[in-house]
Amino acid sequence: MIIILFGPPGAGKGTQSDNLVKKFGLIQLSTGDMLRGAIEKGTKLGLEAKAVMDSGELVSDHIIIAMIEEKLKEKSESNGFIFDGFPRNIEQAKALDILLENLNKKLDSVIEISVNDEILIDRIKNRAKEMRDARSDDNADILAKRLKVYHINTEKIIPHYKKMGKLVTVDGMKSIDEVSQEIENNLNLNI
Ligand code: AMP
């Protein structure tokens, strides 16, 4: 099973993705986590990525696609994958189509978690408070930037996956359990 989970920052992708990992034994491929791992290790890539991440912009496609390719190949025997936070633009979506085709793998479902901008701003402010700003990119100004980047770049993947008949949109403003249930119901229908 191969699933893409996407939505604006603060939509609950991480939580929903953890749930799907537990339920279906999928491997989660989160490009945000991979980048934060590189920052923690202090690698050259991490240093470069941190400045871009802190500005709310997207890290360059070639870095992201190379990271995903490496992980997909490394774990090619897995039960399936869930892509969390990738693809973030149409170039990454097209690169993923090619990567999966070359590995003889089929994408099953693309789940969009849809949430209003106003609700997201409230959620992110609360998360920053709870985590005492552990994620330095979560302050309100950067969130506004990340939302803009989402609307300009990431939403462009919607028609791509709609055309492929893979897109499922769930209402991310419901409770965590309700969103999980909605995702699972749609997966059952789509797979
Ligand atoms: P996330 O944890 O998924 O919200 O990602 C945090 C930040 O990492 C984003 O705001 C981007 O700067 C960067 N990032 C994560 N995934 C990608 C991606 N697929 N393409 C480009 N940049 C990314």
Side-chain angles (χ1 to χ4, degrees), residues 9 13 30-33 35-36 49 52-54 56-61 64 84-88 92 135 137 146:
K13 291 188 298 282
S30 158
T31 41
D33 284 351
L35 292 167
R36 281 183 285 277
V52 180
M53 289 166 80
D54 284 348
E57 295 280 356
L58 295 181
V59 173
S60 62
D61 290 341
I64 297 288
D84 165 1
F86 171 87
R88 280 264 218 308
Q92 293 181 12
R135 283 183 61 171
D137 57 339
R146 294 175 75 209

Side-chain angles (χ1 to χ4, degrees), residues 25 47 51 58 79 84 103 137 146 157 168 176 185 187:
L47 278 175
L58 295 181
N79 228 354
D84 165 1
L103 293 169
D137 57 339
R146 294 175 75 209
I157 70 175
V168 169
I176 291 176
N185 294 346
L187 283 179

Side-chain angles (χ1 to χ4, degrees), residues 9-190:
K13 291 188 298 282
T15 308
Q16 295 302 335
S17 161
D18 287 348
N19 184 45
L20 291 169
V21 166
K22 277 188 211 128
K23 274 243 154 90
F24 299 103
L26 306 175
I27 291 188
Q28 180 198 21
L29 298 180
S30 158
T31 41
D33 284 351
M34 290 176 206
L35 292 167
R36 281 183 285 277
I39 292 173
E40 228 163 77
K41 276 194 202 138
T43 64
K44 187 166 168 277
L45 184 151
L47 278 175
E48 279 170 23
K50 186 172 188 324
V52 180
M53 289 166 80
D54 284 348
S55 76
E57 295 280 356
L58 295 181
V59 173
S60 62
D61 290 341
H62 72 272
I63 291 179
I64 297 288
I65 294 161
M67 279 187 340
I68 286 284
E69 182 171 15
E70 190 188 321
K71 292 278 176 198
L72 272 177
K73 288 186 173 157
E74 192 184 293
K75 303 187 191 282
S76 65
E77 299 308 314
S78 132
N79 228 354
F81 297 97
I82 176 156
F83 294 102
D84 165 1
F86 171 87
R88 280 264 218 308
N89 59 28
I90 194 69
E91 290 75 19
Q92 293 181 12
K94 288 181 177 167
L96 179 62
D97 290 346
I98 295 168
L99 272 177
L100 291 177
E101 200 183 317
N102 289 344
L103 293 169
N104 230 349
K105 292 190 183 293
K106 185 181 124 294
L107 178 63
D108 294 291
S109 234
V110 181
I111 298 161
E112 175 199 8
I113 306 181
S114 163
V115 185
N116 281 349
D117 284 8
E118 297 72 40
I119 291 183
L120 291 171
I121 291 169
D122 282 349
R123 278 190 192 173
I124 289 274
K125 280 185 183 160
N126 289 335
R127 182 158 86 183
K129 240 186 262 163
E130 275 167 26
M131 298 179 75
R132 301 209 181 125
D133 246 346
R135 283 183 61 171
S136 56
D137 57 339
D138 271 351
N139 66 54
D141 289 348
I142 298 298
L143 172 69
K145 174 79 200 180
R146 294 175 75 209
L147 271 176
K148 200 169 155 197
V149 167
Y150 179 79
H151 292 310
I152 292 173
N153 299 284
T154 309
E155 280 181 346
K156 298 230 168 75
I157 70 175
I158 293 175
H160 179 76
Y161 291 118
K162 229 183 218 169
K163 225 187 291 165
M164 289 165 71
K166 312 259 184 202
L167 187 80
V168 169
T169 301
V170 300
D171 180 356
M173 288 169 285
K174 293 186 176 165
S175 72
I176 291 176
D177 287 346
E178 284 172 315
V179 176
S180 303
Q181 195 56 56
E182 208 176 313
I183 291 175
E184 280 172 41
N185 294 346
N186 277 298
L187 283 179
N188 290 337
L189 291 175
N190 251 31

